[in-house]
Amino acid sequence: MRKKKVAILQSNYIPWKGYFDLINSVDEFILYDSAQYTKNDWRNRNKIKTPNGLLWLTIPVQVKHLDQKISETLVAQNNWNIKHYKTIKQFYSGARYFKAYMDVVEDLYLGCNQTGLSEINYHFIQGINKLLNIETKLSRSSDYELVDGKSERLVHLCKQAGAGIYLSGPSARDYLDESLFAEMDISVEWMDYSGYPEYRQLNPPFEHAVSIIDLILNEGPDTRKFMKNL
């Protein structure tokens, strides 16, 4: 019998292509919105290309206390989505598939009326999944019962989701206790983000670590060819 594969990762704003490869590699992807919100991180911002170099698109958020969870984080401005849409439109008008795909981007932004960061990120991830034909189940850690302990919480989430395999990002190697997973008969696998091919990107030099919107607007229907698991 095939084992269910699960990944758990903090929600990011318009993530890079590797994030969506991770989603597409599993049966269920749990957005870890119960994690602490971290400033100057990928939770509420990501990068795009411009003629003057990389540019951060940042959702302004309210930070009320140090232990604030992603699920508790609210936006600080109501029109941030319109500003981000106009910025993308400005810098990607010369992209090969700008005209063909900008309607999708417009719908994502102008249709984003959520006020919570977790819900906003879910909105964009779900929309991009649909565009890329990714059918992985998308859920939130807040949908499940939570326990204390960094690795213990991940194991407990996997167990509740019925996972036989946990696919982790490589940055967790420093802290993940694989023995706890083994005790629950859950094997651990590691995502490899190396070896991505370059694509026709505006404004050289080439940069892999930008929002997937960059890849979509530059390669359109060929987006999948520049990803690992699509």
Side-chain angles (χ1 to χ4, degrees), residues 26-160:
V26 297
D27 302 296
E28 181 176 352
F29 186 84
I30 301 175
L31 290 162
Y32 192 23
D33 62 354
S34 306
Q36 180 182 342
Y37 168 76
T38 47
K39 294 178 67 176
N40 302 321
D41 213 334
W42 302 102
R43 309 294 85 81
N44 67 315
R45 66 178 190 164
N46 221 301
K47 293 182 283 188
I48 61 170
K49 297 292 295 291
T50 80
N52 300 315
L54 297 173
L55 175 69
W56 286 103
L57 288 181
T58 303
I59 301 174
V61 298
Q62 305 172 34
V63 180
K64 297 183 177 180
H65 55 85
L66 292 176
D67 296 328
Q68 181 171 301
K69 298 175 183 177
I70 298 171
S71 60
E72 298 171 332
T73 304
L74 303 176
V75 297
Q77 293 177 9
N78 292 329
N79 62 345
W80 68 268
N81 55 324
I82 297 172
K83 291 180 179 178
H84 285 199
Y85 167 68
K86 289 181 177 178
T87 301
I88 292 170
K89 191 174 181 180
Q90 174 186 353
F91 291 117
Y92 284 92
S93 60
R96 186 179 179 92
Y97 289 95
F98 173 81
K99 290 183 179 178
Y101 284 78
M102 202 57 195
D103 284 349
V104 177
V105 177
E106 180 178 2
D107 288 345
L108 279 173
Y109 275 95
L110 302 190
C112 183
N113 52 18
Q114 295 85 348
T115 57
L117 181 61
S118 178
E119 288 76 22
I120 289 168
N121 288 346
Y122 187 97
H123 167 81
F124 280 95
I125 291 168
Q126 187 179 50
I128 295 170
N129 278 351
K130 184 177 179 180
L131 179 64
L132 298 177
N133 295 316
I134 296 175
E135 298 180 350
T136 300
K137 178 183 178 182
L138 201 61
S139 56
R140 300 181 178 91
S141 60
S142 52
D143 297 332
Y144 291 97
E145 177 187 298
L146 302 174
V147 299
D148 293 332
K150 208 164 189 178
S151 291
E152 288 84 353
R153 178 170 289 186
L154 297 177
V155 172
H156 196 59
L157 284 169
C158 285
K159 198 67 180 176
Q160 290 177 84

Side-chain angles (χ1 to χ4, degrees), residues 13-25:
Y13 171 54
I14 52 171
W16 79 303
K17 57 196 174 189
Y19 194 100
F20 290 95
D21 265 332
L22 181 64
I23 294 176
N24 195 55
S25 299

